[in-house]
Amino acid sequence: MSKKEKTADKVKVNVKYFATFRDKTNKKQETIKAKNIKELINEIKTRNSKMKGELLKKDNKINESVIIMINGRNIKHLDGIKTKLNKEDRISIFPPVAGG
Amino acid sequence: MSEKIVRVDMNDLEVSFEEVPEDYKILGGRGLTSSIISEEVPPKTHPLGPNNKLVVAPGIVTGTNAPTSGRLSVGGKSPLTGGIKESNAGTSFGQKLGRLQVKAIIIEGKAEEDNYYLLKIDNDDVEIVEANDWDGEGLYSSFEDIRDEYGENVGVAGVGVAAELGASNAGIAFNDPEGLPSRYSGRGGLGSVMASKGVKLMVVNEEEAPGKEIEDQETFKEGAKKLRDALNEHDVTKPGGTLNAYGTNALINVINEAGALPQNNFSRGRDERAAKVSGERKAEEIEKRGGQNPHMCSPGCVIQCSEIWTKPDGSDPVGVLEYESVWALGPNCGIYDLDTIGELNRKCNDLGLDTIEMGNTIAVAMEGGLAEFGDEEKALELMEEIREKTPTGRMLANGVEHTAEALGVTRVPTVKGQSMPAYDPRAIKGQGVTYATTPMGADHTAGYAVATEIMGVGGESDPTGTEKSELSKNLQESTAVIDTTGYCLFTAFAVLDIPEGLEGMVETVNGVLGTDLTVEDIPDIGNDIIQTERKFNKKAGISKEQDRIPDFMKEEELPPKNEIFDVPNEELDKVFEN
């Protein structure tokens, strides 16, 4: 697959950050191009250096306590980090959170 | 010294002290209040009659230095549900009772009409003092009066105007660390039970208190350390974690994104305006105004999820604006302004009303035509009708079902007479199973499936799945035990994921009681408590046929995910076998 074709698979999604992740990224939201959650996470940590330690554990696996939703559904209840992205998906990323 | 039960006979205005019966020695909190109510209250009695009782009980470890253990339970037959009720609060009031070695206060009988009294609880002495001066007064000024009269360090409990009306939505206010009436045993109308006895206020003074008895100090200390370590380690409960940094209101954005934050009386699950009342937004405002966050509801808490909300200029503190309160008085009424929500919350605290039931009632009143959704001024005016004791105010103070019946509203988000908290069961179905099956009526704290379904704490469960009976049962059983220990339910976030924390919790209980309970005993103990409550309810006329979610939620799709509550009745009936 050529580089051009790989880029063509990517879609633009809106990523919203919440709670302490707003401090780590210094922003509330941004638009990112990626084809799946794995790529999206890589792009987020490239753009925001403080997010690496939040999104990934020391063994480079995803931090299961972080909540990542696509259009309101947790990726854990979809295909995890393999979940494909569709154009204009609403991505919401939260640190470990609770209340009630 | 040994622990005692204080029995207050309001018929004759007499107080007696009783030894703790053997069966009750290993209980506290919810386990104790539900056992006493079940034993002593005729299930079919009128909730506001002389035969109902009000029981106040600190948890087993409440009053010790175990972390985050300042909870006390209040029990009685509920005027709102007609069933057994336990409603708990985090306040130093319970810690002081624990250190005075008061296992429980049982208030029974009924004072002569038109007389209100104050219970003054000191070491080895309880006085019943005339308190008619506070009739019709708001609770902020009443609590201030009490501190002026009895000292800054006393614990205070009180009921407000709503309870004077005998309203089904009257809660019992307890003091926060600043002495404000902001910590509530809100749910189920127990404030009216207290007022019906003729008790307006309770004051507890712990001078010369003997302290909480601990049978095995070493086991207790080891357990407390394990639990403290777990709370400091877990991402959700640790200092600087989201609960600590944003309070419970951090959930507004989470639940809104999940499409489960009810708006306009459970008409849709997401609205972009919810961000205006989020925990993140509120924390910014508190910092700007000079409020306080983080903050403890009671001394000794590691989590510190509380706060002090004020007016824009930093004056007139309300106390905490909890997630449930912000949602109920805000988005569920189409209101997206934190200052209006703060003032509505202040009125609830002042009048002695549960914020969840009140917000839902305003939303139903809006649907019934008393105001437009989002009409902030009218919402504030409606609450003043309660203060003025007008017929409309009396209707509203009696809660959602009463108001819906009066106004012909058929979309009524209640189970067993009690309205739902801030999670739409169509989008978080395990939480709906808890709403349906807990003996308490729709209550999120009774088995908080949101933790597992949305936050991934204590395992994973897809919120759209329908096989939820086991999840809800397990959570309900462990919750009944936590509510008995006196630990805050939020400790569960840590101990569900960190086994040493749970062991530590059990060890502190063993340390206090001299027992040898294990983690494996928790489900059975919890089930026993719930079965006691369900048996009371059955005799009161509430059986498993009432373990249901309202029909409209089975038929009307909730945008944006367009889900209905489709958990089959058979699944609901599997939670508890009788």
Side-chain angles (χ1 to χ4, degrees):
Chain A
M1 193 182 284
S2 70
K3 193 177 174 185
K4 196 175 176 185
E5 281 172 319
K6 277 186 184 172
T7 308
D9 289 342
K10 294 184 179 185
V11 292
K12 216 185 260 188
V13 293
N14 182 34
V15 182
K16 298 173 79 177
Y17 301 108
F18 294 95
T20 49
F21 285 178
R22 290 182 176 176
D23 300 330
K24 303 279 179 191
T25 61
N26 222 9
K27 53 180 89 95
K28 289 184 178 174
Q29 56 185 330
E30 62 185 320
T31 304
I32 293 179
K33 279 176 107 176
K35 65 179 177 187
N36 59 32
I37 290 291
K38 191 177 176 185
E39 263 193 28
L40 184 78
I41 289 172
N42 281 333
E43 184 61 24
I44 291 171
K45 68 184 172 64
T46 303
R47 291 184 184 199
N48 307 283
S49 59
K50 288 182 184 167
M51 287 296 282
K52 185 179 178 186
E54 304 291 331
L55 296 171
L56 301 176
K57 293 187 293 190
K58 283 177 187 164
D59 59 5
N60 235 20
K61 287 190 175 160
I62 191 165
N63 178 358
E64 295 285 337
S65 300
V66 170
I67 300 170
I68 303 176
M69 293 183 196
I70 302 179
N71 303 323
R73 294 210 69 194
N74 195 315
I75 60 163
K76 290 176 186 171
H77 308 131
L78 299 165
D79 286 334
I81 58 168
K82 292 178 188 165
T83 307
K84 285 185 182 163
L85 297 174
N86 293 306
K87 198 178 171 189
E88 294 182 359
D89 272 345
R90 178 191 182 112
I91 314 292
S92 321
I93 304 186
F94 298 89
V97 65
Chain B
M1 295 300 297
S2 61
E3 290 193 310
K4 55 195 172 275
I5 288 177
V6 176
R7 192 176 291 273
V8 181
D9 175 0
M10 292 304 294
N11 287 330
D12 299 323
L13 302 183
E14 285 180 356
V15 178
S16 57
F17 299 91
E18 298 173 3
E19 281 185 24
V20 180
E22 204 58 37
D23 289 353
Y24 292 170
K25 280 186 177 164
I26 58 163
L27 294 174
R30 174 176 170 183
L32 185 56
T33 61
S34 288
S35 294
I36 294 172
I37 295 300
S38 179
E39 187 68 29
E40 299 194 11
V41 174
K44 287 195 183 296
T45 201
H46 195 290
L48 305 184
N51 295 323
N52 195 7
K53 302 190 182 191
L54 189 83
V55 183
V56 181
I60 292 166
V61 301
T62 306
T64 70
N65 62 6
T68 313
S69 63
R71 308 293 297 193
L72 94 162
S73 294
V74 185
K77 177 173 173 170
S78 163
L80 190 72
T81 69
I84 199 164
K85 173 58 68 179
E86 182 264 358
S87 181
N88 74 60
T91 168
S92 65
F93 189 96
Q95 294 169 312
K96 291 174 195 295
L97 285 183
R99 288 192 285 267
L100 286 168
Q101 299 189 348
V102 173
K103 189 84 168 168
I105 302 169
I106 304 173
I107 304 173
E108 57 191 28
K110 201 173 174 71
E112 283 182 26
E113 276 185 40
D114 297 332
N115 277 326
Y116 283 121
Y117 295 90
L118 175 154
L119 299 186
K120 185 169 169 290
I121 303 148
D122 295 291
N123 188 32
D124 280 337
D125 186 30
V126 176
E127 281 180 70
I128 304 174
V129 183
E130 184 268 316
N132 287 321
D133 283 352
W134 287 286
D135 189 356
E137 292 297 315
L139 285 171
Y140 282 94
S141 64
S142 299
F143 273 45
E144 199 175 334
D145 292 345
I146 294 296
R147 288 200 309 281
D148 288 346
E149 190 164 338
Y150 294 98
E152 293 287 321
N153 295 324
V154 294
V156 188
V159 295
V161 168
E164 292 167 15
L165 295 171
S168 298
N169 181 28
I172 301 173
F174 292 94
N175 63 282
D176 68 12
E178 287 68 40
L180 303 173
S182 74
R183 311 307 315 189
Y184 260 78
S185 283
R187 306 233 68 191
L190 294 178
S192 283
V193 177
M194 183 164 141
S196 74
K197 307 282 164 214
V199 179
K200 189 85 170 100
L201 290 152
M202 293 188 272
V203 181
V204 56
N205 174 4
E206 66 170 322
E207 278 174 30
E208 297 176 30
K212 186 86 185 170
E213 275 189 343
I214 297 176
E215 294 283 336
D216 178 349
Q217 282 283 0
E218 197 172 327
T219 301
F220 173 81
K221 278 184 189 168
E222 281 175 17
K225 182 178 184 312
K226 284 184 192 173
L227 178 57
R228 187 173 286 109
D229 288 347
L231 293 171
N232 278 317
E233 179 190 332
H234 196 276
D235 281 333
V236 162
T237 53
K238 68 185 181 185
T242 45
L243 266 175
N244 183 257
Y246 302 101
T248 56
N249 206 35
L251 279 186
I252 286 278
N253 278 331
V254 182
I255 304 303
N256 191 54
E257 289 301 305
L261 188 74
Q263 329 262 338
N264 290 19
N265 189 29
F266 290 77
S267 293
R268 57 180 189 278
R270 187 189 291 155
D271 192 298
E272 299 304 327
R273 292 171 293 174
K276 293 181 184 176
V277 299
S278 64
E280 291 90 330
R281 181 84 192 87
K282 182 145 60 81
E284 284 172 19
E285 278 300 317
I286 288 172
E287 192 177 356
K288 202 192 300 175
R289 296 174 183 203
Q292 196 178 329
N293 170 29
H295 177 260
M296 287 183 277
C297 71
S298 54
C301 180
V302 171
I303 302 172
Q304 300 189 23
C305 68
S306 185
E307 68 192 13
I308 303 175
W309 177 259
T310 65
K311 285 187 172 166
D313 63 0
S315 66
D316 290 346
V318 175
V320 65
L321 304 189
E322 300 281 9
Y323 163 66
E324 305 293 338
S325 308
V326 169
W327 158 77
L329 300 163
N332 197 42
C333 297
I335 292 173
Y336 300 92
D337 180 88
L338 278 172
D339 281 303
T340 300
I341 292 167
E343 292 314 301
L344 288 167
N345 201 138
R346 186 195 304 278
K347 289 182 192 296
C348 286
N349 290 350
D350 201 40
L351 295 165
L353 291 154
D354 173 43
T355 52
I356 297 176
E357 191 72 26
M358 193 65 235
N360 276 316
T361 303
I362 294 172
V364 162
M366 286 173 163
E367 184 155 329
L370 288 196
E372 295 291 322
F373 281 108
D375 188 339
E376 298 172 17
E377 288 306 314
K378 189 68 185 174
L380 290 160
E381 283 171 27
L382 286 175
M383 295 208 60
E384 285 304 303
E385 301 251 7
I386 298 172
R387 193 186 304 276
E388 289 158 18
K389 301 185 179 178
T390 67
T392 299
R394 288 168 185 265
M395 173 190 77
L396 296 169
N398 274 296
V400 168
E401 287 202 350
H402 192 84
T403 300
E405 281 171 21
L407 299 177
V409 174
T410 56
R411 299 175 67 263
V412 190
T414 58
V415 177
K416 302 184 183 80
Q418 180 167 289
S419 65
M420 291 179 186
Y423 316 89
D424 198 302
R426 288 167 285 189
I428 310 179
K429 293 175 189 183
Q431 191 59 45
V433 173
T434 294
Y435 289 165
T437 58
T438 168
M440 298 297 150
D443 176 352
H444 61 298
T445 66
Y448 191 59
V450 174
T452 312
E453 296 182 285
I454 299 294
M455 301 154 194
V457 173
E460 281 295 333
S461 183
D462 186 339
T464 61
T466 57
E467 291 182 8
K468 300 288 186 181
S469 58
E470 194 179 342
L471 173 68
S472 178
K473 178 175 190 279
N474 291 342
L475 288 167
Q476 289 195 54
E477 288 170 348
S478 53
T479 299
V481 174
I482 289 177
D483 288 346
T484 296
T485 62
Y487 283 112
C488 170
L489 187 56
F490 289 175
T491 60
F493 295 128
V495 303
L496 283 172
D497 284 339
I498 303 173
E500 294 78 14
L502 186 57
E503 282 168 23
M505 182 182 276
V506 174
E507 284 167 14
T508 59
V509 170
N510 284 334
V512 169
L513 298 175
T515 48
D516 54 4
L517 299 167
T518 67
V519 168
E520 287 70 36
D521 293 323
I522 290 174
D524 286 345
I525 296 170
N527 195 270
D528 283 351
I529 294 166
I530 294 168
Q531 291 302 339
T532 297
E533 294 165 347
R534 286 181 71 85
K535 279 178 195 160
F536 181 95
N537 278 359
K538 198 169 181 182
K539 288 180 194 163
I542 302 168
S543 59
K544 70 178 184 182
E545 283 72 33
Q546 276 86 29
D547 287 351
R548 298 292 182 260
I549 293 295
D551 281 350
F552 85 90
M553 291 181 168
K554 299 176 193 167
E555 295 153 3
E556 184 184 303
E557 291 182 349
L558 180 75
K561 290 166 143 182
N562 301 325
E563 289 174 88
I564 58 168
F565 188 77
D566 53 358
V567 177
N569 289 345
E570 297 73 37
E571 184 71 11
L572 297 175
D573 291 340
K574 271 163 60 180
V575 178
F576 299 112
E577 285 168 9
N578 53 37

